[in-house]
Amino acid sequence: MPTLLGLRTAALTVTAVLLSTVLAGCGDDGAEREDLTRQELSWEDCPTPSDAQGGGTAPSPLPDGGEWQCATMKAPLDWDDPKGDTIGLELIRARSSGDEGARIGSLIFNFGGPGGSGVTSLPSFAEDYETLRTRYDLVSFDPRGVGRSAPVICQNDQQLDAYFQRDATPDDAAERTELLENTKEFNDDCEQNSEKILPHVRTTDAARDLDLMRQVLGDGKLHYFGISYGTELGGVYAHLFPERVSRAVFDAVVDPTQNAAQGSLGQTKGFQLALDNFAEDCVSKAEECPIGDSAQDVKDRIAGLLEDLDRTPIPGVFPRELTQTAATSGILQALYSQEFWEYLTQGLQEAYGGDGSILMLLSDSMNGRKENGEYSNIAAANTAINCADDKPRYDTAFVERKLPEFRAASSLFGDYMAWGMITCTDWAVPGAADHPVVSAPGSAPILVVGNTGDPATPYEGARKMAEALGKGVGVELTYRGQGHGAYDSKNKCVQDAVHGYLLDGKVPRAGTVCA
């Protein structure tokens, strides 16, 4: 799925009345903690996704005709005060398709973001995980602050339309002031509308939820598949509860050693690499590349388009226009997967002719906007979780000092990524740390899969994660491919390694390379 990891993006305004429906009082300290681990989930047919989850229809039946089931798990709002309020965390599962005697337990997925709804994501990938379902119940969830799980709400749909059209790459003092004001207004609205949940959406909170989920599902140890930000969540879990890790796979791996600025610079390089690969692919085909005569020509024409859009937007999806910011986010979205490259080619071709609709639809996908104009809460949750996790707060002076380095990494994306670092500057909740701590001595082996062409979680992060997990814990596997992640590329070598470990406990040789 598309992820917003590290892309500091920013629906419906809520009141204290809405907050009171997702937060309910609980009993005393020790008894409440014990009661939560013993709670029994009431599994029922899944409802239609909420607006915060992205709307749409209830999940289609499983490939074998079985039905998806959903339930709500209670968890403490504040893990430091378990006798206080609780929140409901929404879960989804597909029961194992194999013999009961072969069942290992529940395999819990987190698909990334942060801010992505696992309840809506897991069904969309159901066919990809059918082999794993032979021995596991497949389970995912909306992490706290996401979807149906006490969602962070910041602005309404009309406000978000304006927010995502703003100029995210200021060229002068007036534009810088406007960007700062728009960012502060968004952050203030988040505080006003979601004040009670904002301090409690850190990854450490979600990791504790994950351990409660493990117990409630009846597993002695955690079986886990984390993708993108889900690898960070899994690493934090392994650090907090190393003895409770069973078989785990990390795919599209976050570099846990980097702070927010280093991560943004790494992504800038990653997306530039993906753009280079896209341009080379286009001109290498037997038929003529419709958007350039050479790879450099492809990139030069994109740069020219963005410069033109900065001065004069073109029609997008009526009544909105395609701005430079929307076009940039649309291009980034398309670079997440090689399967999207054909849409990027078509979108650029049409934009050169004055029609920005395809690039705007790609941008809408990045920002969680549906065709009817309603937004999911992925952008609000993404901002809230990132800002609660990341301790650094960057001002305009810092960004301006860093601009030459970002521009050297990518003349196309450098400004956009650098200015994104101010997102948390006026955030109401202090950040927890410079970077996540994932050292997990005593944990079972964790398979860490890196993709050499990954734009959002650059390949180097896999080795850093494996090293940070510790000797004998992180087992690195390399996939020489394109796009964000490796397993869903359907590469047989990658999938055989993942299946061998999760299904049969066979740890692949460290340093295995799949092409």
Side-chain angles (χ1 to χ4, degrees):
M1 68 168 289
T3 176
L4 294 174
L5 175 68
L7 297 178
R8 305 296 189 163
T9 60
L12 304 175
T13 302
V14 296
T15 64
V17 175
L18 176 55
L19 283 174
S20 69
T21 67
V22 295
L23 304 171
C26 296
D28 61 38
D29 188 353
E32 174 55 28
R33 185 182 294 272
E34 183 178 3
D35 287 344
L36 288 179
T37 63
R38 295 179 180 177
Q39 66 184 291
E40 293 187 8
L41 300 179
S42 178
W43 293 101
E44 300 176 348
D45 290 344
C46 294
T48 299
S50 68
D51 289 340
Q53 289 175 310
T57 59
S60 301
L62 289 152
D64 62 2
E67 295 294 333
W68 292 94
Q69 298 176 313
C70 288
T72 303
M73 183 186 80
K74 292 170 63 177
L77 169 66
D78 183 351
W79 274 102
D80 292 330
D81 181 22
K83 68 181 180 180
D85 293 338
T86 63
I87 56 176
L89 302 181
E90 192 75 2
L91 278 60
I92 188 169
R93 77 173 178 186
R95 298 302 299 268
S96 172
S97 62
D99 295 335
E100 182 60 29
R103 180 181 177 275
I104 297 171
S106 294
L107 180 62
I108 302 178
F109 290 78
N110 181 281
F111 293 93
S117 166
V119 173
T120 59
S121 295
L122 183 57
S124 69
F125 292 110
E127 292 187 5
D128 294 345
Y129 301 118
E130 273 298 287
T131 300
L132 296 173
R133 193 162 74 95
T134 59
R135 300 200 66 190
Y136 290 99
D137 293 347
L138 305 184
V139 176
S140 194
F141 62 105
D142 288 353
R144 55 177 57 218
V146 177
R148 287 190 190 271
S149 298
V152 174
I153 304 297
C154 297
Q155 294 185 331
N156 64 34
D157 298 330
Q158 291 72 34
Q159 289 173 308
L160 289 171
D161 271 348
Y163 183 77
F164 291 123
Q165 292 285 79
R166 77 204 188 291
D167 188 343
T169 55
D171 300 314
D172 54 38
E175 290 184 356
R176 285 194 296 274
T177 298
E178 184 177 6
L179 176 62
L180 289 170
E181 289 176 348
N182 289 338
T183 302
K184 186 176 189 307
E185 180 181 4
F186 179 87
N187 292 353
D188 288 347
D189 288 342
C190 294
E191 180 182 12
Q192 179 180 345
N193 294 321
S194 302
E195 181 178 10
K196 196 165 186 178
I197 189 65
L198 291 186
H200 307 295
V201 295
R202 294 188 172 100
T203 298
T204 50
D205 297 312
R208 291 183 169 90
D209 293 339
L210 199 56
D211 195 56
L212 176 61
M213 197 178 306
R214 170 192 65 79
Q215 298 172 76
V216 172
L217 291 169
D219 288 339
K221 292 190 175 185
L222 179 73
H223 317 291
Y224 182 74
F225 198 136
I227 301 160
S228 194
Y229 163 78
T231 68
E232 179 178 330
L233 174 58
V236 170
Y237 179 93
H239 173 72
L240 294 175
F241 310 108
E243 74 286 353
R244 301 177 194 173
V245 176
S246 180
R247 302 171 188 174
V249 171
F250 294 174
D251 185 9
V253 186
V254 172
D255 184 341
T257 69
Q258 294 183 330
N259 62 28
Q262 293 166 333
S264 293
L265 181 61
Q267 282 200 320
T268 305
K269 296 175 181 178
F271 279 107
Q272 182 60 48
L273 174 62
L275 182 69
D276 293 342
N277 292 337
F278 160 76
E280 291 285 355
D281 179 77
C282 186
V283 299
S284 69
K285 296 184 184 302
E287 64 271 20
E288 181 182 0
C289 176
I291 54 172
D293 298 326
S294 66
Q296 189 59 51
D297 186 40
V298 170
K299 291 181 283 188
D300 289 344
R301 292 192 67 191
I302 294 173
L305 172 68
L306 295 179
E307 290 176 5
D308 291 343
L309 291 173
D310 191 29
R311 294 186 294 269
T312 308
I314 62 176
V317 176
F318 184 82
R320 295 173 299 148
E321 293 183 317
L322 182 74
T323 62
Q324 181 192 53
T325 298
T328 303
S329 62
I331 293 167
L332 291 170
Q333 174 66 23
L335 293 175
Y336 271 98
S337 172
Q338 192 168 5
E339 293 179 357
F340 295 168
W341 287 4
E342 63 178 299
Y343 303 115
L344 178 55
T345 298
Q346 184 181 354
L348 290 168
Q349 190 176 9
E350 293 188 4
Y352 296 143
D355 179 358
S357 57
I358 291 179
L359 291 183
M360 177 152 274
L361 288 172
L362 287 166
S363 176
D364 288 346
S365 176
M366 169 77 82
N367 297 323
R369 188 187 195 272
K370 295 184 298 181
E371 290 184 14
N372 65 3
E374 295 177 353
Y375 284 85
S376 74
N377 90 312
I378 188 170
N382 177 265
T383 301
I385 296 167
N386 278 327
C387 294
D389 276 347
D390 295 337
K391 186 175 182 179
R393 296 293 186 253
Y394 303 118
D395 58 16
T396 55
F398 178 87
V399 173
E400 288 168 347
R401 288 198 304 273
K402 286 290 185 179
L403 274 172
E405 189 175 4
F406 275 74
R407 288 168 176 165
S410 173
S411 59
L412 202 68
F413 304 129
D415 281 48
Y416 182 91
M417 299 295 287
W419 282 107
M421 293 190 293
I422 68 167
T423 297
C424 297
T425 300
D426 296 307
W427 196 249
V429 176
D434 288 327
H435 57 81
V437 180
V438 301
S439 62
S443 169
I446 296 173
L447 180 57
V448 178
V449 186
N451 180 352
T452 58
D454 196 315
T457 49
Y459 169 67
E460 294 77 12
R463 179 155 299 176
K464 296 292 183 64
M465 175 67 81
E467 292 172 349
L469 287 168
K471 186 176 178 61
V473 179
V475 178
E476 184 183 6
L477 181 148
T478 294
Y479 168 55
R480 299 194 184 281
Q482 301 296 331
H484 187 42
Y487 182 88
D488 286 326
S489 71
K490 299 180 175 57
N491 176 271
K492 186 176 186 302
C493 173
V494 172
Q495 293 198 338
D496 284 350
V498 171
H499 294 163
Y501 185 41
L502 290 179
L503 297 176
D504 301 316
K506 298 177 181 177
V507 182
R509 179 178 56 83
T512 295
V513 176
C514 296

